[in-house]
Amino acid sequence: MTDASNTFKKAPKRKPAKGKSVSVSPEMRKAYADLIRERAEKQEVYGRHLPQDESRRR
């Protein structure tokens, strides 16, 4: 039988992985910001037309 103190040992802490940095042109950055904005607007318009009282169905 294994020793109980050996079975439930705490795992060692991991070092956080370093993030990568990418440089992008200002045009690309603006295009990405526009894409995010358009997606948020579409989501808002879609959510506006959904029924508000979903909790009563369940």
Side-chain angles (χ1 to χ4, degrees):
M1 191 180 274
T2 59
D3 194 4
S5 62
N6 197 16
T7 305
F8 299 107
K9 275 192 174 178
K10 206 171 193 180
K13 297 275 183 183
R14 286 186 175 189
K15 290 185 180 178
K18 288 201 171 197
K20 295 180 182 179
S21 64
V22 180
S23 57
V24 215
S25 67
E27 296 88 18
M28 190 72 157
R29 189 173 295 173
K30 185 182 180 312
Y32 188 66
D34 291 343
L35 180 73
I36 292 173
R37 192 177 312 111
E38 285 176 17
R39 189 173 291 167
E41 287 173 2
K42 282 183 184 178
Q43 194 70 20
E44 181 185 337
V45 169
Y46 178 75
R48 209 179 295 153
H49 297 290
L50 291 176
Q52 296 297 322
D53 50 346
E54 290 184 21
S55 60
R56 277 199 253 160
R57 287 187 200 171
R58 294 181 185 181

